[in-house]
Amino acid sequence: MKRKWKGLMSLLLLLCLTACGGGDSADKTVLRIGEREIGRAEYMVYLYTTSQSFEAAAGEDVWGMDFDGQTADQLVEERTINTLQSVIAAEDYATANGISLTEEEKAQAELAAEQFFAGVSEEDLKKIQVEEEELAKLMEASYLYTLVHQSIAEECQVDAGETEAYYQENKDILQTEYTTLHVQSVLVDTEETAEKVAEQARNGADFGELFATYDIQPDEENNGKVSMYQGQLQALFGLPDNLRVGEIYGPIQRSNGYFVLQIMAQETPSAEEVRDLAERIYRSDVQMAYTEARFEEMMKSQTVEKVAENWDSLEKFH
């Protein structure tokens, strides 16, 4: 089973949508999508969340990467505009089909706006320049997009035979990738220290004591212990396929330092759990493809125009 880069991009889009949405803005127009004018603050909210998603997925070095001839900034810009187009299309669909938010969902959007402000640095907030009331409206549009997405997905019927074929083809890989690994980690600031920690661990030193002695974030919750699916752990740390309980891995360099890991235990899903997982993954993939196609169709008629005198002065978040 190929790793789903398309699924990753869909995840990045979802991460963006959970923190932003459509709305009118009183500041300078930077973009026109159809008849909608997108203000600077609105666009910057989208640009910020998309930038954060890319960096979280690929690391701080993402800004120097090439994406099939595009720079990361060009790709982020493209994805940001695409997300705006999707939200506008969702608003039009919601109006035509009588879909609206409940008062509870509006309250959740307001809370999401408060959490956004609390989680963004002062430096980035100055770049965004969005007011709380406007941000709450953007969050409401995000929730509305989710409702529209769910409504369209429910139209899609998934073939039982194709689902069974997907399970038979992928059950062994799914069982491996979704095996839960319980991991103890030590994070240090130099490769030399990480080598020392790894050597002591391989010589039988207690990993919990190594964490208490060397970890540069000793107050971290759970004392460096984490449980993750094997596939996630491999992708996050670049680990090999044949992970083994008791094995020491590291040093592993990441943006915040050097990790040394030990696999403490593992839990392999049962055949029934794997079948349920396969059915959910396949159904999600089919419905995602269907909704993406529907949104692309709705967005075909949209025109996109950058307002050059305002667009060219936009800042970046890296």
Side-chain angles (χ1 to χ4, degrees):
M1 180 176 66
K2 295 181 180 178
R3 292 199 178 275
K4 300 181 180 297
W5 289 107
K6 183 177 180 181
L8 174 60
M9 297 313 299
S10 299
L11 175 59
L12 298 181
L13 174 62
L14 179 62
L15 288 172
C16 178
L17 288 169
T18 56
C20 53
D24 296 324
S25 179
D27 56 2
K28 293 181 178 180
T29 299
V30 298
L31 192 66
R32 294 188 182 94
I33 299 176
E35 297 181 357
R36 267 286 306 274
E37 293 193 348
I38 308 300
R40 180 189 181 282
E42 181 177 359
Y43 179 81
M44 292 298 281
V45 169
Y46 282 79
L47 181 64
Y48 173 81
T49 54
T50 308
S51 299
Q52 291 294 302
S53 297
F54 267 63
E55 193 166 300
E60 294 178 355
D61 294 337
V62 68
W63 304 109
M65 294 181 184
D66 176 84
F67 296 86
D68 294 328
Q70 282 185 301
T71 67
D73 283 317
Q74 289 171 331
L75 188 54
V76 165
E77 177 185 303
E78 178 184 293
R79 295 291 172 177
T80 302
I81 294 174
N82 182 264
T83 304
L84 279 159
Q85 290 181 267
S86 298
V87 173
I88 292 170
E91 289 175 336
D92 293 341
Y93 182 96
T95 299
N97 292 274
I99 299 174
S100 59
L101 299 182
T102 65
E103 291 303 315
E104 181 181 355
E105 288 165 339
K106 290 179 180 179
Q108 290 173 349
E110 187 173 343
L111 177 60
E114 294 173 3
Q115 293 172 338
F116 180 92
F117 274 107
V120 179
S121 69
E122 287 295 328
E123 179 183 357
D124 287 336
L125 284 175
K126 288 179 181 178
K127 293 180 182 179
I128 297 170
Q129 296 180 18
V130 66
E131 300 294 332
E132 285 191 42
E133 184 176 351
E134 180 182 5
L135 185 59
K137 292 296 182 183
L138 302 184
M139 297 297 180
E140 286 185 12
S142 170
Y143 278 82
L144 188 62
Y145 171 91
T146 302
L147 294 181
V148 169
H149 198 281
Q150 291 172 347
S151 176
I152 293 175
E154 288 171 1
E155 300 172 1
C156 179
Q157 300 299 314
V158 181
D159 184 86
E162 293 178 357
T163 302
E164 176 65 19
Y166 177 85
Y167 165 71
Q168 293 296 338
E169 181 182 352
N170 296 290
K171 58 184 179 181
D172 292 338
I173 295 175
L174 287 173
Q175 186 171 56
T176 298
E177 291 202 342
Y178 285 88
T179 289
T180 299
L181 297 179
H182 302 286
V183 181
Q184 171 86 59
S185 68
V186 177
L187 173 63
V188 298
D189 53 9
T190 69
E191 185 173 12
E192 181 181 5
T193 303
E195 291 281 8
K196 182 189 301 184
V197 171
E199 182 180 1
Q200 291 183 36
R202 292 184 180 110
N203 288 333
D206 181 82
F207 217 86
E209 293 180 6
L210 291 174
F211 175 88
T213 302
Y214 291 101
D215 199 276
I216 59 177
Q217 297 176 348
D219 295 329
E220 184 182 356
E221 188 177 358
N222 297 327
N223 294 326
K225 295 180 181 178
V226 65
S227 297
M228 298 179 67
Y229 290 131
Q230 180 164 297
Q232 292 176 324
L233 190 69
Q234 289 169 327
L236 183 61
F237 289 101
L239 296 175
D241 291 335
N242 56 338
L243 300 179
R244 296 194 298 267
V245 173
E247 193 72 29
I248 309 297
Y249 299 94
I252 303 166
Q253 185 177 9
R254 286 296 177 265
S255 60
N256 53 341
Y258 292 83
F259 281 90
V260 178
L261 310 175
Q262 183 176 32
I263 311 299
M264 309 298 290
Q266 71 177 36
E267 297 174 23
T268 302
S270 66
E272 182 179 351
E273 290 170 330
V274 172
R275 177 178 286 277
D276 179 67
L277 177 65
E279 291 175 354
R280 287 188 285 112
I281 290 175
Y282 186 72
R283 181 170 58 250
S284 177
D285 285 351
V286 171
Q287 291 180 336
M288 178 63 73
Y290 177 81
T291 54
E292 285 180 355
R294 287 290 307 277
F295 268 95
E296 287 175 7
E297 187 64 29
M298 291 189 289
M299 292 158 55
K300 274 185 180 179
S301 61
Q302 294 176 342
T303 58
V304 178
E305 175 194 357
K306 297 175 183 176
V307 181
E309 61 267 28
N310 299 326
W311 182 269
D312 294 340
S313 64
L314 294 177
E315 298 177 87
K316 297 180 174 61
F317 292 100
H318 64 92

